[in-house]
Amino acid sequence: MDFPAILSGFGNGSVTVLSFIVALSIVVAIHEYGHYIVGRWSGIGADVFSIGFGPVLWSRVDKRGMRWQIAAIPLGGYVKFKGDANAASGKDADAMEGLNETELRATMHGAPLWARSATVAAGPVFNFILSIFLFAAVIIASGQTGEKLVIGKLFEMPHKSYTLQEGDTVVSVNGIDVPLASDAAGFDAFWNGMEITDPLNYVVERDGETLSVTGPYFNTPVVHSIVPRSAARNAGLEVGDVIVAIDGESIASFKQLQQAVEGSEGKTLALDVVRNGEAMNFDLTPKRSDEPKAEGGFETFWRIGVTGGLAFELEATEWVGVGDAAKVGVEQTWRVASGSVSGLYHMITGAISSCNLSGPVGIAETAGEMASRGVVDFFWFVAVISTAIGMLNLFPIPMLDGGHLVFYAYEAVTGKPPSDSWLNVLMQVGLMLVLGLMMFGLLNDLFLCR
């Protein structure tokens, strides 16, 4: 297989790989640090803290005798606690023989049930804390628009010129007064109810004067971003392309593009595009997309994989308070976590396409795409991945944190842990399940869902 050719399809292959490594390393480091620090607080000692697997690239031993290391294969990490036989926390019976009571208490397998449970649960919990922090930080960094509509950057449209300028405060458009941002219903009606025509007549406040100027229709058919592994990416569309016609019919808004794609029901569309003043043609076949509904479950749409936006940026004029940002962080983390569980359930039952599951190649491609958009988008992606990995690790599968918590629950009820022989068997089953899931995602990335 020509992997360089595959990577070249993602854009800059080195950026894709580096972005993936950085994103995964951040998430893994926080997850494993959660295990380590709560274990230490609980009296459980550790021998190795590793980011990555395989040959060690760098290491140092701290004053507690624990080795911190970075390994060559950046697809995970582990903490090897005292008494562990391996990275999956299997019991090293030989090493534990002959230990006195104090030494035994410092091992993972000799510690009280509460200490083991807290140590194992800490990894996913730290992932959720990281997600909340990053979501909140992005909200604070981005700010929010104020009560009035203030124009930020204007995007160029081919063969069009307007007198609307950056910094203008919009009073009305086509004779319709602009509602205050706090009037959510009125603001939505204003955006969505505006006649699709270009140019629009704006009344604005500029430098203390009230002026009548011309400006673009709000939701122009300009490609603002491209979804990885989408029909648009495969066909060669680029950010900044302006879609002017579909199957020979002219369009003036992104809404018209969405309607045409949804109405295609997966049939190939012919797009007329203007790129840097040059007319181009593309044939795209929309892909099925199963997307979560607010009330639960999923709804099927057809997508070509481009996102649109306003013809201008809205200037962020207000700072978001820490409390409000933290609330958004919690809500977004819950939304991603619950969506992950719901998505997996619906894939298993066959209600939605299994193509919704990505493997490492798909995740790497998304990481590269988000990094190319900027730091804010990249850290939003890291927050999403952190939530998903935290949620995945809570699944009751032997070898994962959730599997260990199930074993501890069994011990709490019966008064004794499962036998070592049964644990070994269950760990092997868990390993096969995890590897099978990874391989299925990889097959989706490379063959089944491209």
Side-chain angles (χ1 to χ4, degrees), residues 30-31 33-39 117-127:
I30 292 297
H31 180 96
Y33 187 77
H35 287 315
Y36 162 70
I37 195 64
V38 172
S117 300
T119 299
V120 168
V125 169
F126 270 52
N127 278 136

Side-chain angles (χ1 to χ4, degrees), residues 19-322:
S19 301
F20 173 65
I21 291 173
V22 170
L24 189 61
S25 295
I26 291 171
V27 172
V28 168
I30 292 297
H31 180 96
E32 298 304 333
Y33 187 77
H35 287 315
Y36 162 70
I37 195 64
V38 172
R40 201 179 90 185
W41 292 340
S42 303
I44 301 173
D47 294 323
V48 180
F49 184 107
S50 181
I51 302 300
F53 300 96
V56 176
L57 303 177
W58 171 89
S59 70
R60 76 173 182 87
V61 178
D62 66 15
K63 62 182 180 181
R64 292 183 175 84
M66 191 183 78
R67 180 177 298 279
W68 300 79
Q69 66 182 39
I70 297 175
I73 304 173
L75 296 178
Y78 62 91
V79 177
K80 185 175 181 292
F81 290 101
K82 292 187 180 301
D84 285 349
N86 49 49
S89 290
K91 183 177 179 181
D92 188 345
D94 293 336
M96 295 184 65
E97 281 186 10
L99 296 180
N100 60 40
E101 186 175 340
T102 301
E103 293 170 333
L104 192 63
R105 170 62 180 82
T107 68
M108 172 61 87
H109 305 277
L113 183 60
W114 68 266
R116 286 178 277 146
S117 300
T119 299
V120 168
V125 169
F126 270 52
N127 278 136
F128 298 143
I129 292 172
L130 173 64
S131 296
I132 293 169
F133 172 80
L134 288 178
F135 284 134
V138 167
I139 295 297
I140 291 172
S142 301
Q144 65 181 3
T145 57
E147 284 288 276
K148 295 184 177 181
L149 194 161
V150 181
I151 301 297
K153 174 186 175 182
L154 279 159
F155 298 105
E156 291 187 10
M157 290 286 293
H159 316 302
K160 298 287 179 74
S161 61
Y162 309 102
T163 52
L164 185 69
Q165 294 182 9
E166 182 176 342
D168 286 348
T169 299
V170 182
V171 177
S172 67
V173 181
N174 274 14
I176 302 174
D177 291 340
V178 179
L180 295 177
S182 56
D183 178 10
F187 211 62
D188 286 343
F190 171 76
W191 287 120
N192 298 322
M194 185 60 59
E195 178 186 3
I196 300 176
T197 184
D198 195 286
L200 298 175
N201 297 312
Y202 288 68
V203 173
V204 302
E205 294 177 352
R206 180 189 301 166
D207 299 328
E209 295 184 75
T210 300
L211 304 172
S212 294
V213 298
T214 59
Y217 175 74
F218 303 146
N219 195 216
T220 53
V222 177
V223 177
H224 281 234
S225 64
I226 300 175
V227 177
R229 295 195 299 156
S230 63
R233 171 69 75 199
N234 295 338
L237 259 65
E238 296 180 1
V239 172
D241 286 351
V242 182
I243 301 170
V244 296
I246 302 174
D247 288 339
E249 294 289 331
S250 298
I251 63 171
S253 74
F254 198 83
K255 184 187 299 184
Q256 292 172 318
L257 170 64
Q258 290 175 308
Q259 292 170 344
V261 172
E262 282 300 322
S264 72
E265 296 186 345
K267 296 179 181 177
T268 300
L269 300 172
L271 271 60
D272 295 337
V273 172
V274 174
R275 177 184 299 168
N276 298 324
E278 180 184 355
M280 307 179 75
N281 303 104
F282 296 90
D283 291 330
L284 285 79
T285 303
K287 292 186 176 182
R288 172 178 168 172
S289 176
D290 300 301
E291 301 174 13
K293 298 188 291 186
E295 65 274 17
F298 284 76
E299 186 174 0
T300 296
F301 296 93
W302 294 97
R303 298 282 188 253
I304 60 172
V306 298
T307 60
L310 296 176
F312 41 75
E313 294 178 352
L314 296 180
E315 191 171 295
T317 58
E318 293 185 2
W319 181 72
V320 180
V322 173

Side-chain angles (χ1 to χ4, degrees), residues 253 355 388 425:
S253 74
C355 287
V425 171

